Amino acid sequence: MSRLEILYTCVANMVKAVHKTGEYQHIKNMEHYLDEEDRNKTIYHRKTKK
């Protein structure tokens, strides 16, 4: 697992844990981590070639 994947996984787990407690104001603008497809979009995103 790359460093980026480890960092992403830690943040995603933290967001999911906070979301379960109902403290939504603490994860404002981080809701995308709750989406299962977000990891692939973030980690494996490729820029288009020009």
Side-chain angles (χ1 to χ4, degrees):
M1 192 181 285
S2 72
R3 291 177 187 162
L4 179 60
E5 289 174 300
I6 293 170
L7 178 62
Y8 181 90
T9 302
C10 290
V11 172
N13 289 341
M14 183 264 316
V15 169
K16 288 174 185 175
V18 171
H19 185 262
K20 284 183 182 179
T21 66
E23 298 292 328
Y24 303 113
Q25 70 273 12
H26 296 297
I27 57 170
K28 187 175 181 180
N29 299 323
M30 298 179 82
E31 295 90 2
H32 62 91
Y33 285 100
L34 299 172
D35 180 20
E36 293 296 324
E37 293 296 319
D38 187 59
R39 178 185 172 129
N40 287 335
K41 291 176 190 173
T42 303
I43 302 288
Y44 301 111
H45 176 74
R46 291 186 181 174
K47 294 183 180 180
T48 57
K49 294 182 182 179
K50 292 184 180 180

